[in-house]
Amino acid sequence: QVQLMESGGGLVQPGGSLRLSCAPSGSIFSFTVMGWYRQAPGKQRDFVARLTSGDTRNYADSVKGRFTISRDDTKNTVSLQMNSLKPEDTAVYYCFARSRDGLDYWGQGTQVTVSS
């Protein structure tokens, strides 16, 4: 069973930065896509960013220019650098991964709170 372990959430002031990391229990090369979704209270889970095995990056319009997704092959992690954070970025952030045989996996979620 694949597990995705997230870290890096927390409380930050508006305009601040946070870096989220996701470490799978297996090799990141086992997956065709890894990325992040988020869910604010009372709302649906929304796409944030993704990175394919071919190094294609996609972002939600709301985070373009502020968030950057990257992969560290030596650390076997995928990270989400979040800059210029806004209160509306407050949500639980979930790591996502799709295996080469088409199975989807989710992390347990990490809370990001942007507040003064």
Side-chain angles (χ1 to χ4, degrees):
Q1 179 71 16
V2 172
Q3 291 185 326
L4 303 176
M5 292 158 283
E6 300 134 332
S7 60
L11 172 64
V12 65
Q13 292 186 342
S17 298
L18 280 175
R19 186 177 183 87
L20 305 181
S21 291
C22 176
S25 53
S27 169
I28 57 175
F29 297 105
S30 306
F31 306 103
T32 56
V33 182
M34 292 190 72
W36 296 88
Y37 282 68
R38 67 186 180 186
Q39 187 168 20
K43 297 188 176 181
Q44 66 182 20
R45 189 174 296 188
D46 290 329
F47 167 75
V48 176
R50 70 172 197 163
L51 174 61
T52 71
S53 56
D55 284 337
T56 297
R57 290 166 171 80
N58 301 105
Y59 298 94
D61 287 343
S62 59
V63 307
K64 281 181 181 177
R66 300 188 299 122
F67 290 12
T68 302
I69 189 169
S70 62
R71 180 178 58 232
D72 188 324
D73 296 346
T74 59
K75 295 182 179 179
N76 200 50
T77 57
V78 170
S79 296
L80 184 69
Q81 178 66 41
M82 306 185 294
N83 298 328
S84 302
L85 283 161
K86 306 174 182 180
E88 50 265 43
D89 294 317
T90 295
V92 177
Y93 283 69
Y94 295 91
C95 180
F96 162 83
R98 175 163 294 165
S99 69
R100 294 189 179 278
D101 54 6
L103 297 176
D104 293 342
Y105 299 93
W106 294 89
Q108 80 284 356
T110 185
Q111 177 70 46
V112 171
T113 302
V114 185
S115 175
S116 55

